[in-house]
Amino acid sequence: MDQSYETLLLEIDESGICTLTINRPDKLNALNNQVLEELDAAVDSIKENCKVKALVITGAGEKAFVAGADIKELSSLDPVTGEKVSKKGQDIFQKIEDLTIPVIAAVNGYALGGGCELAMACHLRIASENAALGLPEVSLGLIPGYGGTQRLTQLVGRAKALEFIMTGRQVKADEAFEVGLVNQITEHSAIDEAKSMLSKILKQGPVAIKNALLAVKEAGSGNGYESEARLFGELCGTADFKEGTGAFLEKRKPNFSGK
Ligand code: CO8
């Protein structure tokens, strides 16, 4: 966490909410190789830092969350390097999705291509009213390559995903909300709204939040119900479970220890 980055800003508040800002506002926070490398290192350091209880990912400036992969860099890819770069980005975004602390994308403007894919790798998405989301890769002769074909399909269903991917059209926040691509739209700051939602989540049993993330991740994998039962059973042996149920029965607020 003490590490400093050229293309990212990282700050952690007193409640353990870390805000990671992609910071290339003059290029609408486009993801070049340096951003990806630094994002990879930052996610590793967040994972190892027990002080970080939740994460908000956002973009610098008022115009964009992330306007996509850096098109200048993309333009020189060939079949071998293209597959390699795609896989590298997929792995980094998967690391974000696999975090066992809650992660919210505060979508504060354009979230296009790789930017939309980054937002979809977060557990939840809160959009400001000026947000515009989309996967315009076909306009460049490409398809999404950072997991977008898979995650958009999971979020909005096959037909809508194909419509968005094949037309490449941008959707405004209200349409993104209607189809389930974003969880909430706010007329205020998306970062503030994300932090406010995280504060509510952080009041719940911490081990339960972790297990909820792990259980939902298994949805559709073939052993989702089995995993749910195992993770549920595991929670029944925690101090948080004793505290949560005890507090209810004693008509008081729980004081979770996260154990
Ligand atoms: N890459 C590089 N530079 C960008 C990008 C980008 N994706 N988006 C914006 N910029 C730069 C512009 O070139 C411009 O730079 P400069 O001032 O030096 O000319 C600066 O940011 C400001 O942008 P604009 O002047 O274009 O701002 P506008 O308000 O006029 O337009 C838009 C805003 C509509 C967002 C416009 O910038 C745009 O269309 N951007 C590109 C959007 C896009 O197509 N994104 C998808 C990229 S492809 C992708 O993400 C693939 C992901 C999977 C990769 C898999 C690995 C191989």
Side-chain angles (χ1 to χ4, degrees):
M1 287 298 275
D2 296 335
Q3 208 171 335
S4 64
Y5 303 96
E6 275 179 42
T7 65
L8 304 179
L9 300 170
L10 240 73
E11 57 179 47
I12 174 166
D13 70 15
E14 64 292 339
S15 61
I17 299 176
C18 176
T19 303
L20 185 160
T21 306
I22 313 285
N23 188 29
R24 275 188 92 203
D26 54 325
K27 297 290 177 194
L28 304 187
N29 306 316
L31 304 172
N32 62 10
N33 187 51
Q34 187 181 8
V35 178
L36 282 182
E37 298 271 350
E38 293 191 352
L39 189 57
D40 194 20
V43 174
D44 283 342
S45 78
I46 285 165
K47 210 169 144 182
E48 283 159 19
N49 188 333
C50 60
K51 284 192 200 133
V52 180
K53 309 287 181 214
L55 176 64
V56 178
I57 298 183
T58 193
E62 296 193 348
K63 208 166 157 184
F65 173 71
V66 167
D70 190 302
I71 298 172
K72 195 169 170 208
E73 281 188 1
L74 282 189
S75 64
S76 62
L77 294 176
D78 61 34
V80 175
T81 53
E83 184 173 344
K84 218 168 129 186
V85 175
S86 168
K87 187 80 186 69
K88 178 176 166 183
Q90 283 180 3
D91 289 348
I92 298 168
F93 287 13
Q94 190 60 48
K95 241 190 228 184
I96 294 172
E97 190 180 296
D98 288 346
L99 285 171
T100 53
I101 53 168
V103 184
I104 300 187
V107 183
N108 55 322
Y110 290 112
L112 302 175
C116 187
E117 294 177 289
L118 174 61
M120 290 192 289
C122 298
H123 302 135
L124 304 171
R125 284 149 293 284
I126 294 184
S128 56
E129 283 176 333
N130 70 329
L133 297 93
L135 294 173
E137 283 87 345
V138 288
S139 71
L140 302 167
L142 291 170
I143 60 168
Y146 290 155
T149 59
Q150 307 306 298
R151 291 198 177 93
L152 187 65
T153 307
Q154 286 163 9
L155 284 169
V156 305
R158 189 175 290 254
K160 269 286 163 206
L162 273 174
E163 178 198 322
F164 286 6
I165 291 167
M166 292 199 295
T167 63
R169 75 184 172 92
Q170 286 177 27
V171 295
K172 296 208 170 109
D174 50 357
E175 188 177 350
F177 176 72
E178 268 166 38
V179 298
L181 179 51
V182 301
N183 295 79
Q184 193 182 316
I185 306 172
T186 177
E187 56 183 305
H188 309 294
S189 143
I191 301 175
D192 289 350
E193 206 60 39
K195 284 186 178 173
S196 155
M197 190 185 277
L198 286 170
S199 302
K200 286 176 197 143
I201 294 173
L202 292 180
K203 289 201 175 90
Q204 314 305 320
V207 197
I209 296 301
K210 177 181 161 196
N211 281 15
L213 286 166
L214 293 171
V216 170
K217 203 176 122 194
E218 293 297 320
S221 70
N223 58 352
Y225 288 97
E226 202 182 309
S227 298
E228 182 186 82
R230 180 177 50 75
L231 291 160
F232 181 93
E234 198 179 286
L235 289 168
C236 294
T238 62
D240 281 357
F241 163 65
K242 295 254 175 309
E243 173 61 15
T245 49
F248 177 83
L249 296 172
E250 290 158 24
K251 300 192 187 299
R252 61 173 175 84
K253 286 208 164 117
N255 181 17
F256 292 116
S257 63
K259 287 182 188 137

